[in-house]
């Protein structure tokens, strides 16, 4: 039997635990009226009487409490797990919910959880810092809660309109439900189980008050309202049976159990009690907030890093009254730098301390040498702020870096007696002896190269289609200005190797830019002095072609490393090709012999080589050299990996072949978006060049079974077009080229021209060229000439003679051009004809077979080879019978002249050997 229901003192109850048998001693002799005396068999099963509703709601409440705790620590994975369990528990309680209605605390958690997830979803910075599991759980849970809340839309709307009223209604409803359920479970004596369980003495003891206060303080921040379990302190009257028993016996259980309010006065008292409690709770919260504000002294909350907190005090700069000298500042600088790279070191604090040290050094006039040394370390600390190679600088750090480098260059340019270099040892530094030149260890060139790499990383990691990319791209002007300043500085004080390195940086920021001003000056030569002073100053600036020529020639002459010279040559070729200087670009490429050993270069140089070859091919196309354009673009386009070979992205199929580390390395090699070459323009140039070469060749060798393919990719596009069951008007660039090829095959140059040059193709391809009209004019001319050649190849067997004037009118070409084309075809033996000069006609010689004759010749050749093979097999099976064979007339005869074919060939082979 449980000691919870025993009477008597505490000592008696404690002694009853150790005994084998429990003996109850009533206070008075009325033993028969002791209520609810439980037997030993029932004590484990009937300790607390609860309804099914209480059990289900308690399960829901526990799960909600766990979800709220997970929300506080931003554990979205835990929230997802508990939300799924909450849904299952709600499903189990569906029958009760249908009868009683949806509980308010359930609506409250659904609304709060949805708001919490939306807040997390909108926090872009917070999402980036989430681990993989939490980010995945956030996306999943957000979809689930939005779908789940559709069934409770009206309830959630009512709750959001008045959340406090919803909470109070929930508490009152729970109390009324508890009271209602107690009436159903009344026993024979008229005392219900719920009433008995909720009855308590008039005044709680001191220990009970302490316990209640402690629990109240602990649960004051909880979202789950516990107002439905109020402890009544006023004395109220109970049933007549309980009044008779009062004072006769004291049941220990009744001290800890709650009594439900049964009258209007009890309800009013409970409501007043609830208001007092809410007021006290609000006062305690406001008091605690005031204390926290006093402790913080007006400070704001700061976000701290995860992991084990390392208690590390910020190092004090200098004690009060310390004399600031060179030695003291250098010692403090070394102290700050010693913490660099250690675990728990705050890099941002380090940068702040170094900047403070610069201010102290300048305030105490310690000289420019100390300031330069500290500036070098500030810039190095900014570069080391992100330990991960793939992570790029934040905008504020990037701007700070540019400002520091500019300030450093101002000092170095203004003080010519300061020498910096990597070869200066720290022991040989001179920071304070102003009679001699100041010597500081550090390399300004290394800082600028690292700055350039950081700029590239920023551009690689920014969305190219956003305004942010444009804003970052504006910083390139500052980067180029810094590189120019360092270039001028090193030209005076730097070594040859350093000058070559800084020249290469300048070249890499110049080679891909089209010089519109120089191009405009070439088109419109200056006339008099009518232009403004600003325009004249711009025109007097150095052309990019002259600049590239000067920088590259210095590198060709002075550089000792193959890599810098190779990069300079490729950039020089690219710049020539970009400005349509085809012959200079082609000659430089052929003289450099880079194509022989480029496969041994590192991947970034190979990417630069591929970009140069592509630009060379596009330049040849603009000049009308379709064969050269096709040859230059053949390797890139035939591989099917142009995007990857040009460093403009990774293909999905190649991603599966690499592991994660290799993929990161490949992404770091990608070219920023503003350096990209338009892949659709590239493919269009290649296909049009292939069309202008392939279609006349196919027409000339139509009956030749052993003809070769000039472009496999072009033939593939033709086969794809032929396989289509329904041919509609072309839409994509490829479909336009295929349709134009079919028209050219028939000699219809006008239809071919309309497919290649139209509004859609102009917008996609041709308008992207610097001189778009010139390119279109060249293209029309090429289509006319190649269509004429194709027409003559296809229909020469039909004509005995044809007038050149007719051909000139048909293809809208002048007569000398037609005469030139036909003459070349005759000289190259492509067309068997002759020119009749007086009548200006082309006379066909009819030497070439017709299509039917070609087929007959092919059949005869195949039949001849078949007969020869049969004779060999027959001779091998029959044999010659010792040099004789049987003749029908003469019997056996010596085999002298029988082997007309085989014997003759044997004799030939013997004489040959």
């Amino acid at each position: 039997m449980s000691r919870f229901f025993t009477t008597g003192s505490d000592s008696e109850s404690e002694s009853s635990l150790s005994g084998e048998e429990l003996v109850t001693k009533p206070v008075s002799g009325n033993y028969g009226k002791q209520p609810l005396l439980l037997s030993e068999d029932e004590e484990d099963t009937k300790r607390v009487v609860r309804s099914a509703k209480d059990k289900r709601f308690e399960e829901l409440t526990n799960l909600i409490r766990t979800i709220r705790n997970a929300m506080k620590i931003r554990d979205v994975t835990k929230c997802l797990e508990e939300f799924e369990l909450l849904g299952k528990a709600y499903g189990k309680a569906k029958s009760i919910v249908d009868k009683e209605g949806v509980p308010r605390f359930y609506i409250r958690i659904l609304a709060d959880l949805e708001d919490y997830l939306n807040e997390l979803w909108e926090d872009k910075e917070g999402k980036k810092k989430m681990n993989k599991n939490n980010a995945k759980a956030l996306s999943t849970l957000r979809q689930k809660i939005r779908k789940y809340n559709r069934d409770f839309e009206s309830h959630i709307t009512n709750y959001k309109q008045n959340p406090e009223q919803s909470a109070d209604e929930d508490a009152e409803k729970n109390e009324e439900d508890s009271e209602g359920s107690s009436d159903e479970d009344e026993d024979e004596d008229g005392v219900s189980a719920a009433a008995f369980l909720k009855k308590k003495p008039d005044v709680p003891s001191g220990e009970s008050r302490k316990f209640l206060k402690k629990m109240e303080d602990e649960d004051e921040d909880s979202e789950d309202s516990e107002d439905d379990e109020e402890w009544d302190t006023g004395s109220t009257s109970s049933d007549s049976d309980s009044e008779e028993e009062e004072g006769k016996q004291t049941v220990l259980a009744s001290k800890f159990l709650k009594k439900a309010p049964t009258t209007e006065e009890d309800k009013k008292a409970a409501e007043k009690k609830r208001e007092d409690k809410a007021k006290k709770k609000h006062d305690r919260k406001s008091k605690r907030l005031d204390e926290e504000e006093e402790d913080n002294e007006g400070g704001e909350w700061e976000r701290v890093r995860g992991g084990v907190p390392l208690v590390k005090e910020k190092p004090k700069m200098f004690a009060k009254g310390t004399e600031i000298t060179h030695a003291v500042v250098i010692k403090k600088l070394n102290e700050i730098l010693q913490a660099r790279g250690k675990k728990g070191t705050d890099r941002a604090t380090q940068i702040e301390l170094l900047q403070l040290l610069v201010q102290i050094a300048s305030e105490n006039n310690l000289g420019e040498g100390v300031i330069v040394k500290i500036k070098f370390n500030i810039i190095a600390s900014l570069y080391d702020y992100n330990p991960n190679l793939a992570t790029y600088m934040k905008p504020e750090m990037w701007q700070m870096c540019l400002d520091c480098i500019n300030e450093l260059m101002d000092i170095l340019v203004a003080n010519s007696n300061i020498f910096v270099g990597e070869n200066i040892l720290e022991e040989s530094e001179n920071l304070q002896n102003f009679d001699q030149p100041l010597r500081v260890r550090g390399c300004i060139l290394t800082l600028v190269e690292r700055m350039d790499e950081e700029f590239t990383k920023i551009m690689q990691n920014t969305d190219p289609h956003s305004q942010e990319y444009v804003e970052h791209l504006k910083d390139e002007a500052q980067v180029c200005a810094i590189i120019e300043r360092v270039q001028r500085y090193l030209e005076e004080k730097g070594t040859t190797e350093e000058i070559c390195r800084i020249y290469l940086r300048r070249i890499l920021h110049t080679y891909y830019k089209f010089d519109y001003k120089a191009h405009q000056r070439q088109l419109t030569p200056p006339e008099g002095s009518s232009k403004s002073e600003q325009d004249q100053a711009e025109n007097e600036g150095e052309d990019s072609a002259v600049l590239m020529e000067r920088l590259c020639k210095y590198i060709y002459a002075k550089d000792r490393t193959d890599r810098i010279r190779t990069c300079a040559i490729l950039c020089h070729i690219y710049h020539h090709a970009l400005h349509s200087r085809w012959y200079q670009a082609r000659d430089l490429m052929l003289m450099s012999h880079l194509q022989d050993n480029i496969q041994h270069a590192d991947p970034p140089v190979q990417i630069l080589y591929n970009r140069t070859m592509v630009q060379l091919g596009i330049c040849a196309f603009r000049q009308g050299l379709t064969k050269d354009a096709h040859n230059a673009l053949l390797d890139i386009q035939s591989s099917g990996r142009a995007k990857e070979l040009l460093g403009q992205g990774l293909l999905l199929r190649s991603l599966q072949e690499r592991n994660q580390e290799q993929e990161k390395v490949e992404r770091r090699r990608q070219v920023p978006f503003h350096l990209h070459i338009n892949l659709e323009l590239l493919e269009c140039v290649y296909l049009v060049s292939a069309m202008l070469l392939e279609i006349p060749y196919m027409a000339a060798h139509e009956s030749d079974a052993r003809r070769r393919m000039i472009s496999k990719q072009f033939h593939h596009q033709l086969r794809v077009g032929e396989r289509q069951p329904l041919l509609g008007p072309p839409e994509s660039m490829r479909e336009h080229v295929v349709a134009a090829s079919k028209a050219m095959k028939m000699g219809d140059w006008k239809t071919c021209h309309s497919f290649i040059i139209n509004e859609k193709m102009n917008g996609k391809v041709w308008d992207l060229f610097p001189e778009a009209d010139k390119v279109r004019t060249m293209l029309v001319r090429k289509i006319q000439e190649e269509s004429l050649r194709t027409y003559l190849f296809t229909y020469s067997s039909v004509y005995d003679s044809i007038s050149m004037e007719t051909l000139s009118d048909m293809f809208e070409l002048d007569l000398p051009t037609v005469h030139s084309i036909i003459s070349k075809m005759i000289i190259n033996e492509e067309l068997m004809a002759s020119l009749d000069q007086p009548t200006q006609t082309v006379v066909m010689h009819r030497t070439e077979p017709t299509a039917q004759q070609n087929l007959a010749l092919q059949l005869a050749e195949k039949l001849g080879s078949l007969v020869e093979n049969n004779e060999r097999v027959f001779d091998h099976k029959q044999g010659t019978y010792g040099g004789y064979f049987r003749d029908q007339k003469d019997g056996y005869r010596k085999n002298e002249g029988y082997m007309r074919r085989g014997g003759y060939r044997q004799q030939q082979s013997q004489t040959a050997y």
Side-chain angles (χ1 to χ4, degrees):
M1 175 159 174
S2 174
R3 67 166 180 154
F4 187 80
F5 296 98
T6 59
T7 58
S9 63
D10 293 340
S11 61
E12 289 176 351
S13 62
E14 288 174 3
S15 63
S16 65
L17 287 175
S18 60
E20 296 178 0
E21 198 172 346
L22 186 65
V23 180
T24 58
K25 295 181 180 180
V27 178
S28 63
N30 192 2
Y31 180 79
K33 289 188 178 181
Q34 184 176 359
L36 293 178
L37 185 63
L38 302 176
S39 66
E40 290 180 356
D41 297 333
E42 296 173 342
E43 64 178 354
D44 294 330
T45 58
K46 293 186 179 180
R47 290 187 178 179
V48 181
V49 178
R50 290 192 302 168
S51 63
K53 173 189 170 184
D54 294 337
K55 290 180 183 178
R56 295 299 181 197
F57 281 13
E58 183 181 358
E59 184 181 1
L60 293 174
T61 307
N62 292 336
L63 290 171
I64 290 171
R65 186 177 292 112
T66 310
I67 291 175
R68 291 196 182 277
N69 290 337
M71 288 163 62
K72 289 176 183 176
I73 61 174
R74 297 171 70 93
D75 189 355
V76 188
T77 309
K78 184 70 175 174
C79 286
L80 176 60
E81 295 174 1
E82 296 299 323
F83 177 74
E84 291 174 351
L85 295 176
L86 184 67
K88 293 178 182 177
Y90 182 79
K92 292 179 183 177
K94 195 71 170 67
S95 58
I96 298 171
V97 170
D98 293 341
K99 188 187 299 182
E100 304 290 339
V102 182
R104 297 284 183 178
F105 62 84
Y106 192 72
I107 298 299
R108 192 181 310 132
I109 187 60
L110 293 180
D112 292 350
L113 185 58
E114 186 176 12
D115 294 341
Y116 172 75
L117 293 174
N118 290 335
E119 183 181 349
L120 284 183
W121 188 263
E122 292 169 0
D123 185 10
K124 303 295 182 185
E125 293 296 327
K127 280 172 65 179
K128 289 180 183 176
K129 295 176 182 177
M130 274 188 182
N131 60 33
K132 194 173 182 181
N133 294 334
N134 268 353
K136 188 177 180 182
L138 175 62
S139 177
T140 307
L141 183 54
R142 183 168 173 267
Q143 292 176 357
K144 285 191 174 184
I145 193 72
R146 289 169 69 184
K147 186 177 179 181
Y148 189 79
N149 282 3
R150 289 173 192 163
D151 300 333
F152 303 95
E153 256 183 78
S154 58
H155 298 284
I156 292 173
T157 306
N158 293 336
Y159 165 72
K160 286 185 177 179
Q161 288 175 356
N162 196 349
E164 293 181 1
Q165 183 180 357
S166 300
D168 294 341
E169 288 176 3
D170 187 17
E172 289 177 7
K173 186 176 180 182
N174 285 342
E175 287 182 358
E176 290 172 4
D177 291 345
S178 302
E179 184 181 354
S181 62
S182 67
D183 295 338
E184 297 173 1
D185 298 331
E186 291 183 356
D187 55 11
E188 295 176 357
D189 295 332
V191 180
S192 66
F196 169 74
L197 291 173
K198 293 184 179 179
K199 188 171 84 172
K200 65 183 290 300
D202 296 339
V203 182
S205 62
E207 293 295 328
S208 178
R209 282 201 202 95
K210 289 180 182 177
F211 173 77
L212 290 174
K213 184 165 175 38
K214 181 178 178 184
M215 292 299 294
E216 183 184 304
D217 291 340
E218 288 177 355
D219 295 337
E220 65 184 2
D221 294 331
S222 173
E223 296 291 337
D224 299 326
S225 177
E226 294 179 1
D227 292 336
D228 57 333
E229 293 182 2
E230 291 287 335
W231 293 76
D232 296 332
T233 54
S235 61
T236 56
S237 61
S238 181
D239 298 327
S240 59
D241 293 336
S242 61
E243 288 177 0
E244 293 174 2
E245 293 170 2
E246 190 174 1
K248 295 181 181 179
Q249 53 182 313
T250 304
V251 181
L252 190 60
S254 62
K255 291 184 179 180
F256 298 98
L257 298 177
K258 175 185 164 186
K259 185 181 110 179
T262 55
T263 63
E264 290 296 329
E265 294 178 0
D266 294 338
K267 290 182 180 179
K268 289 179 181 179
E271 189 175 352
K272 187 178 180 182
K273 170 76 174 179
R274 190 162 53 248
E275 291 175 359
D276 294 340
K277 182 178 175 181
K279 188 176 180 182
K280 288 178 183 178
K281 183 177 176 181
H282 183 267
D283 293 340
R284 281 196 300 272
K285 276 189 176 181
S286 60
K287 186 177 179 182
R288 189 170 67 247
L289 290 173
D290 293 340
E291 291 174 356
E292 289 176 356
E293 288 178 3
E294 290 175 5
D295 294 339
N296 291 336
E297 297 179 355
E300 297 180 355
W301 290 97
E302 294 182 0
R303 186 181 293 278
V304 296
R305 293 197 174 100
V308 181
L310 297 175
V311 180
K312 205 164 187 69
E313 296 181 358
K314 184 186 284 188
K316 297 178 181 178
M317 294 306 291
F318 301 107
K320 192 173 181 181
T322 305
E323 184 181 359
I324 307 300
T325 62
H326 290 84
V328 172
V329 171
I330 296 301
K331 183 180 178 182
K332 179 56 67 176
L333 174 64
N334 292 331
E335 284 180 14
I336 296 172
L337 295 180
Q338 281 173 2
R340 184 175 165 189
K342 292 184 179 178
K343 186 178 180 182
T345 303
D346 190 358
R347 297 180 179 87
T349 307
Q350 267 199 325
I351 296 169
E352 291 173 6
L353 291 176
L354 290 172
Q355 289 176 335
L356 183 59
L357 201 60
V358 170
Q359 294 178 5
I360 293 172
S362 59
E363 287 170 2
N364 290 274
N365 298 323
L366 297 182
E368 303 295 343
V370 176
I371 295 176
V372 167
K373 185 174 179 62
I374 300 172
K375 288 278 185 187
F376 269 116
N377 287 291
I378 290 175
I379 298 169
S381 299
L382 287 170
Y383 291 147
D384 293 344
Y385 185 79
N386 293 320
N388 190 359
L389 282 175
T391 310
Y392 63 98
M393 272 189 175
K394 294 180 180 178
E396 58 272 11
M397 290 291 178
W398 169 246
Q399 195 58 47
M400 191 188 301
C401 178
L402 293 179
D403 295 340
C404 282
I405 294 177
N406 275 319
E407 291 169 6
L408 183 59
M409 285 306 303
D410 291 338
I411 296 172
L412 292 177
V413 171
N415 299 274
S416 58
N417 63 331
I418 300 177
F419 292 91
V420 295
E422 289 178 317
N423 54 351
I424 299 175
L425 301 176
E426 290 188 2
E427 295 82 9
S428 61
E429 284 183 331
N430 177 23
L431 302 176
Q432 53 187 354
N433 187 1
F434 299 104
D435 297 334
Q436 297 178 357
L438 298 177
R439 295 164 59 85
V440 182
R441 178 176 173 79
C443 182
I444 186 66
L445 178 59
T446 306
L447 297 182
V448 171
E449 287 177 339
R450 183 70 190 274
M451 173 200 69
D452 197 18
E453 292 170 4
E454 288 293 336
F455 176 72
T456 303
K457 278 201 289 187
I458 289 173
M459 303 311 294
Q460 285 173 342
N461 289 277
T462 307
D463 180 14
H465 305 292
S466 65
Q467 185 63 28
E468 185 183 3
Y469 190 91
V470 179
E471 296 298 325
H472 286 317
L473 192 57
K474 291 177 183 178
D475 292 337
E476 194 191 12
Q478 297 185 53
V479 173
C480 292
I482 290 172
I483 290 174
E484 287 180 30
R485 294 188 68 184
V486 176
Q487 174 191 331
R488 290 193 295 269
Y489 176 78
L490 291 177
E491 284 173 350
E492 296 177 3
K493 296 187 176 182
T495 63
T496 304
E497 182 184 354
E498 289 176 336
I499 293 174
C500 288
R501 285 165 60 187
I502 196 64
Y503 276 4
L504 180 62
R505 289 289 159 186
R506 184 81 185 275
I507 288 168
L508 290 174
H509 281 276
T510 307
Y511 81 98
Y512 64 89
K513 297 174 182 174
F514 187 82
D515 194 347
Y516 285 98
K517 294 176 182 176
H519 180 66
Q520 196 66 27
R521 283 197 294 271
Q522 288 177 358
L523 295 178
T524 56
E527 298 177 0
S529 59
S530 60
K531 294 186 178 180
S532 64
E533 294 181 0
Q534 184 179 357
D535 292 338
Q536 288 179 0
E538 288 180 358
N539 290 334
E540 288 172 2
E542 190 176 22
D543 284 352
S544 61
V546 178
L547 175 66
M548 290 288 293
E549 189 82 13
R550 178 170 61 84
L551 300 179
C552 290
K553 282 187 175 179
Y554 183 90
I555 291 177
Y556 301 157
K558 304 287 187 181
D559 180 57
R560 296 178 183 176
T561 62
D562 290 337
R563 190 182 188 279
I564 293 180
R565 186 167 60 250
T566 302
C567 290
I569 291 173
L570 291 173
C571 292
H572 202 182
I573 296 169
Y574 191 103
H575 193 264
H576 278 316
L578 187 64
H579 292 82
S580 300
R581 295 188 287 270
W582 157 252
Y583 292 103
Q584 292 95 315
R586 183 200 63 181
D587 294 345
L588 190 55
M589 175 62 80
L590 294 176
M591 286 190 298
S592 64
H593 296 285
L594 288 177
Q595 59 272 24
D596 298 336
N597 53 7
I598 193 64
Q599 66 271 15
H600 302 301
D602 54 339
V605 178
Q606 291 185 18
I607 289 173
L608 182 57
Y609 174 80
N610 294 336
R611 286 167 50 78
T612 303
M613 289 302 298
V614 163
Q615 197 61 245
L616 205 57
I618 295 174
C619 175
F621 181 80
R622 288 201 302 268
Q623 300 299 314
L625 306 170
T626 53
K627 191 171 185 179
D628 291 320
H630 180 269
N631 292 337
L633 301 177
L634 180 62
D635 291 337
I636 299 293
Q637 286 298 122
S638 61
S639 65
R641 297 187 302 130
K643 185 178 183 181
E644 190 173 357
L645 293 175
L646 296 174
Q648 297 181 188
L650 299 179
L651 300 177
L652 291 177
R653 65 170 180 268
S654 62
L655 287 176
Q656 299 171 357
E657 301 169 2
R658 298 186 178 91
N659 56 32
Q660 195 170 5
E661 288 301 321
Q662 289 173 336
E663 182 184 343
K664 288 180 180 177
V665 173
E666 287 290 333
R667 290 196 183 280
R668 286 200 292 271
R669 291 176 184 151
Q670 299 304 300
V671 177
F673 184 74
H674 62 280
L675 273 72
H676 281 194
I677 297 171
N678 192 315
L679 294 177
E680 190 172 18
L681 179 144
L682 174 62
E683 188 179 7
C684 181
V685 166
Y686 175 75
L687 290 177
V688 170
S689 301
M691 177 189 75
L692 294 175
L693 295 173
E694 191 79 63
I695 296 300
Y697 180 82
M698 290 169 64
H701 300 82
E702 188 174 4
S703 57
D704 189 356
R706 285 171 286 188
R707 72 176 181 218
R708 60 182 179 84
M709 282 190 287
I710 297 176
S711 171
K712 289 184 179 179
Q713 189 180 6
F714 178 72
H715 276 273
H716 173 71
Q717 296 300 332
L718 288 181
R719 285 195 296 270
V720 169
E722 289 171 0
R723 283 197 213 108
Q724 291 182 356
L726 180 63
L727 285 177
E731 294 182 3
S732 67
M733 177 271 299
R734 294 174 181 174
E735 291 177 356
H736 276 87
V737 175
V738 170
S741 302
K742 291 178 180 177
M744 183 183 279
K745 227 175 188 179
M746 306 300 294
D748 187 358
W749 76 272
K750 291 185 178 178
T751 307
C752 177
H753 166 249
S754 65
F755 280 129
I756 292 294
I757 298 175
N758 50 55
E759 290 184 4
K760 190 176 287 187
M761 290 292 284
N762 287 342
K764 285 185 177 181
V765 180
W766 309 123
D767 287 342
L768 302 178
F769 285 109
E771 298 175 340
D773 294 334
K774 187 177 177 182
V775 172
R776 281 191 281 263
T777 305
M778 177 275 301
L779 206 51
V780 172
R781 178 88 171 186
K782 281 288 177 183
I783 290 172
Q784 289 171 330
E785 293 176 359
E786 297 303 326
S787 297
L788 171 60
R789 284 165 46 82
T790 307
Y791 183 83
L792 290 174
F793 283 135
T794 306
Y795 301 108
S796 61
S797 59
V798 178
Y799 290 99
D800 288 329
S801 63
I802 185 169
S803 171
M804 283 194 289
E805 291 182 1
T806 305
L807 293 174
S808 176
D809 294 339
M810 188 183 300
F811 292 96
E812 296 184 10
L813 291 168
D814 53 346
L815 201 57
T817 305
V818 175
H819 184 277
S820 172
I821 293 171
I822 295 175
S823 298
K824 286 179 183 177
M825 293 174 68
I826 293 173
I827 292 169
N828 295 330
E829 297 183 355
E830 295 174 340
L831 183 67
M832 296 303 171
S834 59
L835 284 173
D836 187 10
Q837 201 70 28
T839 58
Q840 292 288 316
T841 56
V842 183
V843 180
M844 303 299 173
H845 287 174
R846 293 285 186 183
T847 54
E848 68 275 1
T850 62
Q852 187 176 4
Q853 291 170 342
N854 275 320
L855 291 174
L857 288 172
Q858 290 178 20
L859 180 61
E861 186 178 352
K862 290 180 180 178
L863 287 174
S865 62
L866 182 63
V867 169
E868 186 176 344
N869 289 334
N870 285 339
E871 286 181 356
R872 282 182 188 166
V873 172
F874 182 76
D875 290 344
H876 179 69
K877 287 184 178 180
Q878 295 297 325
T880 57
Y881 298 98
Y884 288 86
F885 72 98
R886 181 151 183 178
D887 189 78
Q888 291 180 354
K889 294 182 180 179
D890 303 336
Y892 287 99
R893 193 165 51 139
K894 193 171 181 180
N895 183 13
E896 292 178 354
Y898 169 72
M899 296 181 67
R900 290 186 298 277
R901 291 179 182 241
Y904 177 69
R905 288 180 179 174
Q906 276 186 350
Q907 291 172 8
Q908 271 192 336
S909 62
Q910 287 172 2
T911 54
Y913 286 109

